[in-house]
């Protein structure tokens, strides 16, 4: 049987194409020559590169067995957290943390602070009537964290029940939490002292806009003229410094130590900022536009007499601060300030509705129990690198003068490239002594709204948010037993030496309360003269000098407002009325019933 030839045959070579084909390898000599100087480079470029391996898909991260067991043991997954993650928001919202349910004692008002006498010799005022003690078992602000009292409230179930509160003594006073741990206080919180080196305490009220005023009386400091008095037990003399400080200013240093505070010294009665002393002055009237060098000379500096060269025991120092409107401050820190357009202090073009949309308050807080009380723990704003360079004493005036670029970088202005070094136009600090105006201490204060103030991002804080408590606080520093008494003007007797423009308008400000409707009109007005007078009255109230003590009730109203807004925000994130109608809030409803029953049982 003959074999049938297979139909398969070898590959027939294709005839050469008439179209020129690209060569597999270019004919490039391996060695450079005078005719081909870049032969080696071209050969390397023509060599095909190895292809990259395909990107590896990211593995799905799953919980460990131990975590899944604990979740199954504790109950069903949190549907509220799932809806929160799925919710889309056009504006930022505060963060909610995984915290345990409130305890029974968390619904009680904050307990009064406990004080401890100084041993072996108690701190008493020179007249022997008031003893100053150190608070114990009390939360104190640290470098990275800030603490404010809070309580649990059954009406705020969507924001995990806790809301802002305040502890005794009520009213404008020096803050027990925002003070160095060695500071001693009177029961009223209006007298402070310290036995060690320079230590500082801030008040519980702050200035954010407008003109505000408070007084400091030296109870124990430099002796009166003609009285020779040495320090106790041969130690150093007691001293007091007072002024305005931001939250970034350190508590273990005097007022005016760095760029975050503006102070006044008792010795030589000088101004102090960045640990650099200067003199008071009276600004000359501005007649025409001049250069910066000419504007620096437009000051009438104050020269103290021999009798007034120091601040002594019994003197009353008044400190007045003036800040532009928050809307203008926001333009400055956002980098959109135009001096040709934004001429005034911002109160003429003030729009309350626009301010609420622009100045959004976001507070990331977690309640923590401590010594029988509950405190909101928040990330504190920290000193920034531009401010550290601005306050660096190693950069002397000579080195700054020889390097103009460095001098320009360290000179604050409203349009500075660094937000922390942007200054506020129409801002100033004026000082009074025993009812007499001494002069202007500082002008063009540094801005404090974010991003000029920022927390430490390394700790997990979210930068760029204002928690509503940024501003300039009344601050007093004590040295070696110096005692100071503060007057915030909200007492029954008012100030000891009220300025003339405060005495004439303070009563009118307290009594002039104007109610507005949704359109910004006064009650009973139709948008005519009444609405215009209401706006003018609002501008006038913010421009006239007010006691800093008036900010206490305003801050309470602001805290209540933002707590309600946070509750509404979380209510919407949790699904709103639709989620409650679905019955998906079984666990929350049960806890609410339990909390309300507990509150009724306790009589709250």
């Amino acid at each position: 049987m003959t074999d049938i030839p297979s139909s398969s045959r070898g590959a027939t070579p294709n005839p050469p194409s008439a179209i020129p084909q690209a060569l597999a390898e270019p004919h490039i000599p391996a060695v450079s020559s005078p005719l081909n100087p870049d032969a080696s480079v071209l050969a390397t470029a023509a060599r095909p590169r190895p292809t990259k391996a395909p990107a590896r898909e990211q593995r799905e991260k799953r919980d460990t067995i131990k975590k899944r067991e604990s979740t199954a043991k504790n109950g069903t997954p949190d549907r509220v957290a799932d809806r929160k993650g799925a919710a889309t928001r056009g504006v930022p919202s505060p963060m909610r943390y995984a915290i345990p349910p409130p305890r029974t004692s968390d619904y009680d008002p904050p307990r009064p602070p406990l004080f401890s006498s100084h041993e072996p010799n108690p701190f008493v005022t020179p007249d022997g009537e008031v003893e100053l003690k150190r608070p114990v078992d009390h939360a104190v602000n640290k470098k990275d964290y800030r603490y404010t009292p809070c309580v649990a409230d059954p009406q705020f179930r969507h924001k995990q029940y806790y809301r802002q509160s305040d502890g005794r003594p009520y009213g404008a006073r020096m803050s027990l939490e925002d003070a160095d741990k060695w500071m001693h206080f009177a029961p009223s919180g209006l007298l402070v002292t310290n036995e060690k080196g320079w230590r500082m305490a801030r008040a519980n009220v702050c200035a954010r806009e407008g003109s505000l005023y408070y007084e400091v009386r030296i109870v124990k400091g430099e002796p009166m003229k003609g009285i020779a008095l040495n320090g106790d037990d041969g130690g150093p003399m007691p001293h007091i410094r007072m002024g305005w400080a931001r939250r970034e200013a350190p508590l273990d240093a005097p007022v005016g130590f760095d760029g975050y505070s503006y102070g006044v010294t008792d010795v030589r009665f000088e101004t102090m900022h960045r640990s650099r002393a200067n003199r008071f002055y009276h600004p000359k009237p501005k007649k025409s536009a001049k250069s910066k060098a000419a504007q620096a000379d437009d000051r009438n500096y104050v020269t103290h007499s021999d009798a007034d060269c120091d601040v002594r025991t019994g003197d009353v120092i008044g400190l007045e601060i003036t800040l532009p409107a928050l809307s203008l401050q926001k333009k400055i820190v956002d980098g959109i300030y135009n001096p040709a357009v934004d001429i005034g202090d911002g109160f003429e073009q003030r729009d309350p509705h626009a301010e609420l949309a622009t100045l959004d308050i976001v507070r990331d807080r977690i309640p923590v129990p401590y010594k029988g009380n509950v405190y909101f723990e928040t990330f504190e704003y920290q000193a920034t690198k531009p401010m550290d360079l601005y306050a660096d004493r190693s950069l002397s005036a000579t080195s700054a003068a020889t390097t103009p670029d460095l001098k320009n970088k360290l000179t604050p202005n409203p349009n500075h490239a660094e937000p922390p070094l942007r200054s506020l136009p129409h801002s100033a600090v004026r000082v009074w002594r025993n009812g007499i105006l001494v002069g202007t201490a500082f002008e063009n204060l540094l801005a404090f709204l974010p991003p000029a103030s920022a927390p430490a991002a390394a700790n997990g804080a979210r930068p760029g948010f204002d928690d509503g408590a940024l501003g300039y606080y009344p601050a007093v520093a004590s040295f070696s037993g110096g005692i100071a008494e503060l007057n915030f003007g909200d007492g029954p007797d008012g100030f000891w030496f009220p300025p003339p423009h405060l005495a004439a308008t303070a009563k009118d400000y307290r009594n002039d309360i104007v109610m507005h409707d949704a359109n910004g009109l006064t009650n009973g007005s139709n948008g005519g003269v009444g609405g215009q007078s209401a706006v003018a009255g609002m501008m006038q109230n913010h421009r006239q000098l007010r006691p800093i003590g008036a900010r206490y009730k305003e801050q309470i109203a602001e805290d209540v407002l933002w707590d309600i807004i946070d509750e509404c925000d979380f209510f919407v994130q949790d699904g709103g009325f639709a989620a409650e109608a679905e019955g998906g809030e079984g666990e929350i409803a049960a806890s609410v019933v339990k909390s309300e029953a507990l509150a009724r049982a306790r009589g709250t």
Side-chain angles (χ1 to χ4, degrees):
M1 186 174 180
T2 59
D3 295 336
I4 300 174
S6 176
S7 60
S8 62
R9 57 181 179 177
T12 304
N14 295 328
S17 174
I19 303 175
Q21 302 291 330
L23 298 177
E25 294 185 1
H27 294 278
I28 300 175
V31 181
S32 301
S33 66
L35 298 179
N36 295 287
D38 299 332
S40 60
V41 178
L42 295 175
T44 305
R47 189 178 301 122
R49 297 182 179 178
T51 58
K52 294 184 179 180
R56 186 177 179 181
E57 295 183 359
Q58 188 175 2
R59 295 173 55 186
E60 181 181 359
K61 187 176 180 181
R62 297 183 179 181
D63 297 334
T64 60
I65 298 177
K66 184 180 294 185
K67 187 173 182 180
R68 290 199 297 269
E69 290 177 354
S70 63
T71 304
K73 188 183 298 183
N74 293 336
T76 58
D78 189 4
R79 295 184 59 192
V80 175
D82 295 340
R83 282 196 299 271
K84 178 187 175 185
T88 57
R89 301 182 297 273
V91 294
S93 297
M95 297 183 63
R96 278 194 288 188
Y97 302 91
I99 61 174
R103 301 172 301 176
T104 303
S105 59
D106 295 348
Y107 292 89
D108 296 334
R111 298 180 181 179
L114 301 177
F115 293 91
S116 175
S117 298
H118 181 265
E119 298 294 342
N121 300 320
F123 282 141
V124 295
T125 55
D127 55 9
E129 295 183 357
V130 181
E131 180 182 0
L132 290 82
K133 303 179 181 180
R134 185 168 66 92
V136 294
D137 296 340
H138 206 72
V140 179
N141 294 347
K142 301 178 181 179
K143 181 179 180 181
D144 298 330
Y145 300 97
R146 178 181 178 86
Y147 298 92
T148 53
C150 67
V151 294
D153 192 330
Q155 303 297 330
F156 293 87
R157 57 191 179 96
H158 291 278
K159 66 184 303 289
Q160 300 169 309
Y161 299 101
Y162 292 95
R163 61 170 175 81
Q164 185 85 6
S165 183
D166 194 13
R168 296 179 183 273
Y170 301 123
R173 55 174 173 81
M174 301 304 291
S175 175
L176 304 182
E177 298 84 12
D178 201 11
D180 188 82
K181 63 179 181 179
W182 295 109
M183 294 296 292
H184 291 62
F185 301 85
S188 62
L190 297 177
L191 282 91
V192 295
T193 187
N194 160 59
E195 63 172 329
K196 298 182 178 296
W198 284 113
R199 298 293 190 274
M200 187 175 68
R202 283 183 285 261
N204 62 348
V205 289
C206 70
R208 288 171 62 89
E209 64 177 353
S211 298
L212 297 162
Y213 177 84
Y214 80 100
E215 291 178 337
V216 179
R217 184 168 69 91
I218 309 301
V219 179
K220 182 180 180 181
E222 284 281 327
M224 297 183 181
K225 195 69 173 179
I227 299 178
L229 179 63
N230 296 324
D232 297 339
D233 300 330
M237 293 290 301
H239 295 283
I240 293 292
R241 286 189 188 180
M242 66 294 292
W244 300 89
R246 290 162 57 181
R247 287 166 50 177
E248 297 91 334
L251 297 175
D252 57 349
V255 188
F257 173 75
D258 56 6
Y260 291 103
S261 59
Y262 299 86
V264 176
T265 66
D266 56 351
V267 179
R268 296 183 299 275
F269 197 23
E270 296 174 329
T271 66
M272 187 66 65
H273 180 59
R274 299 184 298 162
S275 297
R276 294 167 172 84
N278 209 331
R279 294 185 296 170
F280 297 96
Y281 62 91
H282 295 289
K284 295 180 180 179
K286 299 180 180 180
K287 298 181 180 179
S288 60
K290 299 181 180 180
S291 62
K292 294 183 179 180
Q295 291 179 3
D297 296 335
D298 286 350
R299 296 178 177 180
N300 293 323
Y301 286 96
V302 177
T303 301
H304 301 299
S305 61
D306 294 339
D308 298 333
C309 61
D310 295 328
V311 177
R312 304 182 181 276
T313 300
D315 286 338
V316 175
I317 304 301
L319 296 124
E320 173 187 350
I321 188 171
T322 301
L323 297 171
L326 288 174
S327 58
L328 182 64
Q329 298 183 37
K330 188 63 176 176
K331 290 183 179 180
I332 294 172
V333 297
D334 288 343
I336 59 175
Y337 170 74
N338 187 354
V341 178
D342 305 314
I343 301 176
D345 55 3
F347 291 112
E348 298 92 342
Q349 303 88 7
R350 181 161 185 155
D351 185 358
H353 301 284
E355 286 192 1
L356 290 177
T358 305
L359 302 175
D360 192 12
I361 304 299
V362 178
R363 305 173 297 177
D364 292 338
R365 310 179 297 180
I366 179 172
V368 293
Y370 182 77
K371 302 294 185 179
N373 285 327
V374 184
Y375 297 89
F376 274 135
E377 184 183 73
T378 59
F379 291 107
E380 185 58 287
Y381 295 89
Q382 302 296 319
T384 58
K385 291 183 179 180
M387 289 294 291
D388 292 340
L389 185 63
Y390 171 67
D392 191 356
R393 289 188 60 86
S394 62
L395 300 174
S396 62
T398 304
S399 60
T402 55
T403 54
D405 294 339
L406 179 61
K407 184 177 181 180
N408 295 333
K409 290 181 180 179
L410 299 180
T411 303
N413 62 79
N415 295 316
H416 200 280
E418 297 289 346
L421 295 181
R422 291 174 184 168
S423 59
L424 300 176
H426 310 285
S427 62
V429 173
R430 299 175 182 86
V431 178
W432 304 69
R433 180 175 183 173
N434 299 328
I436 301 175
L437 177 63
V438 178
T440 300
F442 308 97
E443 286 184 311
N444 301 320
L445 310 183
L446 292 174
F448 55 83
L449 291 179
S453 297
N459 298 332
R462 299 190 298 170
F465 294 127
D466 178 15
D467 62 357
L470 284 171
Y472 283 96
Y473 289 77
V476 172
S478 174
F479 177 85
S480 185
I483 303 177
E485 182 179 5
L486 292 95
N487 188 348
F488 297 118
D490 56 346
D493 299 331
F495 288 113
W496 297 307
F497 295 96
H501 53 298
L502 175 74
T505 58
K507 182 178 179 180
D508 298 336
Y509 177 81
R510 290 193 296 265
N511 297 332
D512 187 14
I513 300 178
V514 182
M515 302 299 293
H516 303 272
D517 59 12
N519 297 322
L521 305 178
T522 58
N523 292 344
S525 66
N526 56 2
V529 179
Q532 296 177 0
S533 62
V535 174
M538 183 188 303
M539 291 166 48
Q540 183 65 21
N541 287 340
H542 282 86
R543 282 176 171 170
Q544 65 186 212
L545 187 62
R546 303 187 297 149
I548 189 67
R551 284 286 298 151
Y552 180 73
K553 293 184 178 180
E554 294 177 1
Q555 291 180 179
I556 292 178
E558 293 169 1
D559 291 334
V560 172
L561 172 64
W562 292 113
D563 281 335
I564 295 175
I565 291 177
D566 292 344
E567 173 68 14
C568 296
D569 186 3
F570 292 139
F571 172 72
V572 174
Q573 293 182 32
D574 294 341
F577 294 103
E580 294 184 352
E582 293 176 0
E585 304 289 344
E587 297 182 1
I588 294 181
S591 61
V592 170
V593 173
K594 180 179 178 181
S595 301
E596 292 178 349
L598 180 62
R600 288 194 296 269
R602 302 184 67 86
T604 58

